[in-house]
Amino acid sequence: MMASRGYDQTPTMYSPDGRIYQVEYAIETVKRGTLAIGICSKEGVIMAVEEKPRTLQTRNVTQKIFQVDYHIGVAAAGYIPDARVQVDNARFFSQGNRMTYDESVEVATVAKHLADNSHQLTQYGGVRPNGVSLIIAGIDQKGESIYVTDPSGTYVQYAAIAIGAGSDDVNAFLEKHYNSDMNLDDAAALAIAAINLKAEQKEGINHIKMAKITAETKSFEKVSESDLQNYSQNASKFSQE
């Protein structure tokens, strides 16, 4: 990154070459976070994250996967306290939509709302951009969908996506192995294989947390360790050639 020459003091200032350095710094924070992955399948959506557990840390609690509504979940990479604030915002927004319109909010609407809030933090002095990207996954009236927001306020829809450290290589891996016709079990196995591609710990499931939303129930649920173990046994079929 070239010398900022003082243009990084505020997110409201462009450099002469058209860059907003504080936004670029926030995106760099995301790249330093551990991996988060979202995958769509014909049977639902998968969210998986790499978490490096401490010895005495409670194993059934995840810091990087959140439930927004019964049909929407979020996986985060980057500065996780910023993610918690955004998730709380999304929960209030989702509840407000249900009270106003008497229907569940669409996944795309939540993604746009969070992206708009992130963009606002690039337009005012005295604030900093969010240092986190979010994978927003869910099932609504239009079917399964996954969106990614970043600190600039951009949001994009994907069929499968990885964010965080090493995400470029992992996304290339997903492009090679993803199939829109895969079932939910294969999507979960692919997510584990993708995380293990760059993880320091490449065996076992202690470093992986996962949640899913199935097309049958349309409800967010965390994946148990026993199910994770079963999925991990199938992950080898996605080994990189």
Side-chain angles (χ1 to χ4, degrees):
M1 186 174 291
M2 64 178 287
S4 61
R5 300 195 299 272
Y7 291 101
D8 61 352
Q9 299 303 305
T10 172
T12 64
M13 184 180 294
Y14 285 96
S15 70
D17 55 346
R19 299 164 70 176
I20 304 177
Y21 281 99
Q22 283 203 12
V23 172
E24 292 187 17
Y25 297 162
I27 292 173
E28 187 63 29
T29 299
V30 174
K31 293 179 180 179
R32 294 172 183 266
T34 53
L35 275 171
I37 292 175
I39 300 178
C40 266
S41 79
K42 63 182 181 181
E43 297 177 350
V45 294
I46 291 288
M47 292 156 279
V49 297
E50 178 191 3
E51 288 193 13
K52 301 174 182 177
R54 298 176 182 175
T55 304
L56 299 179
Q57 183 175 333
T58 304
R59 297 180 63 180
N60 62 347
V61 176
T62 176
Q63 303 296 321
K64 295 181 59 182
I65 297 179
F66 309 87
Q67 183 174 3
V68 170
D69 204 334
Y70 72 91
H71 64 302
I72 299 176
V74 165
Y79 188 55
I80 301 305
D82 283 354
R84 292 201 307 268
V85 172
Q86 287 190 281
V87 168
D88 284 344
N89 187 321
R91 288 168 175 165
F92 280 116
F93 178 75
S94 180
Q95 292 168 13
N97 187 92
R98 189 180 301 277
M99 293 180 66
T100 303
Y101 301 109
D102 194 27
E103 64 180 14
S104 57
V105 67
E106 292 185 357
V107 181
T109 305
V110 173
K112 180 182 183 299
H113 173 73
L114 293 179
D116 288 345
N117 285 337
S118 291
H119 182 238
Q120 286 180 4
L121 297 180
T122 71
Q123 296 180 297
Y124 301 97
V127 298
R128 62 162 177 79
N130 286 316
V132 69
S133 283
L134 303 178
I135 295 173
I136 303 158
I139 303 177
D140 55 26
Q141 301 92 327
K142 296 180 179 179
E144 301 86 1
S145 57
I146 290 175
Y147 290 84
V148 172
T149 66
D150 73 12
S152 71
T154 301
Y155 74 103
V156 181
Q157 186 174 8
Y158 291 92
I161 187 66
I163 56 176
S167 58
D168 289 342
D169 291 339
V170 175
N171 280 320
F173 178 82
L174 291 174
E175 289 172 9
K176 182 177 182 179
H177 294 284
Y178 175 76
N179 185 331
S180 60
D181 289 329
M182 63 174 35
N183 58 36
L184 199 65
D185 290 352
D186 284 344
L190 177 59
I192 292 174
I195 288 175
N196 286 338
L197 187 69
K198 288 294 181 179
E200 294 178 4
Q201 178 183 343
K202 298 185 182 296
E203 296 181 358
I205 58 169
N206 291 338
H207 62 300
I208 297 174
K209 303 292 184 184
M210 186 181 291
K212 64 182 179 181
I213 303 173
T214 66
E216 182 179 359
T217 65
K218 295 183 179 180
S219 294
F220 176 97
E221 57 181 297
K222 293 182 178 178
V223 174
S224 66
E225 288 191 5
S226 60
D227 285 342
L228 268 179
Q229 191 66 52
N230 292 333
Y231 295 146
S232 68
Q233 293 173 1
N234 296 326
S236 59
K237 67 181 179 181
F238 295 108
S239 59
Q240 195 172 25
E241 297 178 0

